[in-house]
Amino acid sequence: STSLPACMTTHQGADGFPSPAAVLQCVLEYLQLHGFYGALTQLQRESASTPGSRGGFLPQAPAQVQGEGRYLYGLVLGGRWGAALQYLEPLPVAGDLARRMRFVLLRQQYLELLAYDPASSDHPLDQAGPAVDTRALTLTALTECLTQLQAVVPTEADFAQLAELLALDRPQDGAAFCDWTVWGGRMQVFEALLPLVQHAVAGTSSSQPAS
């Protein structure tokens, strides 16, 4: 007979069949493993399996992500850009590195604003609930985001590349972003920020006097 995946054998009912919780966990693990981050986040939201510990829903990080990385994952995968920027503020990171971290977040926010289509019911901005301010879905928000980007962009060429996207129908029409997707972009942002945040948090902890 075919053996069940480990996630289904962890919790079984009296009848020997996997419990609903085990089936849910198995599906979540499959979606995570294969990079279906949009479906993963939506299933977590609808199943209410991961209520946010700091207010509101936050997507659940995979088991290998520990510590503050789990909160960062929730903010980034949940598209909580304002909260994510505030989270970075107190970290002991300065200079070019601090600007680079802000740039990575703001660029993703900018691309998502450009990609927003009110006619699309499956866009994450339509499903983010109260975490997303609908006023942000305006040309004013795009302009403000671009202004913030100008202060942290690595080079003038990078800024010009982003500004040129305003004239296109969608971000993917720009050569540099032809493979960009909302969910893939969010995961790339998280993966770029995680080691920097972990290093900063570890440095803060090591500098604290022993009690």
Side-chain angles (χ1 to χ4, degrees), residues 100 103 106-107 110 114 142-166 177:
R100 177 66 183 176
F103 170 71
L106 287 168
R107 179 179 59 186
Y110 175 72
L114 285 173
L142 275 170
T143 304
E144 292 175 352
C145 191
L146 198 58
T147 300
Q148 294 181 66
L149 276 165
Q150 190 171 21
V152 295
V153 72
T155 68
E156 291 185 6
D158 289 324
F159 180 76
Q161 185 181 73
L162 292 171
E164 289 171 357
L165 296 177
L166 286 170
F177 303 100

Side-chain angles (χ1 to χ4, degrees), residues 39-92:
L40 171 69
T41 301
Q42 187 62 19
L43 179 56
Q44 288 179 342
R45 186 188 309 279
E46 292 186 356
S47 65
S49 60
T50 54
S53 59
R54 306 190 193 186
F57 169 83
L58 290 178
Q60 181 183 29
Q64 64 268 28
V65 178
Q66 299 296 320
E68 286 297 302
R70 300 186 68 81
Y71 184 53
L72 177 67
Y73 179 97
L75 293 178
V76 174
L77 270 291
R80 306 278 288 275
W81 307 120
L85 288 167
Q86 291 179 2
Y87 172 75
L88 295 181
E89 285 295 333
L91 296 179

Side-chain angles (χ1 to χ4, degrees), residues 3 13 19 28 37 39 44 48 51 55 63 77 81-83 86 110 120 126 135 144 148 163 170 185 191 211:
S3 60
S19 67
L28 291 172
Y37 303 116
Q44 288 179 342
L77 270 291
W81 307 120
Q86 291 179 2
Y110 175 72
S120 174
D126 293 320
R135 294 171 301 175
E144 292 175 352
Q148 294 181 66
R170 58 187 195 134
E191 291 174 345
S211 56

Side-chain angles (χ1 to χ4, degrees), residues 97-115:
L97 184 55
R99 286 190 291 273
R100 177 66 183 176
M101 293 170 73
R102 288 182 59 84
F103 170 71
V104 168
L105 279 171
L106 287 168
R107 179 179 59 186
Q108 178 69 16
Q109 180 185 17
Y110 175 72
L111 292 173
E112 291 195 24
L113 286 169
L114 285 173

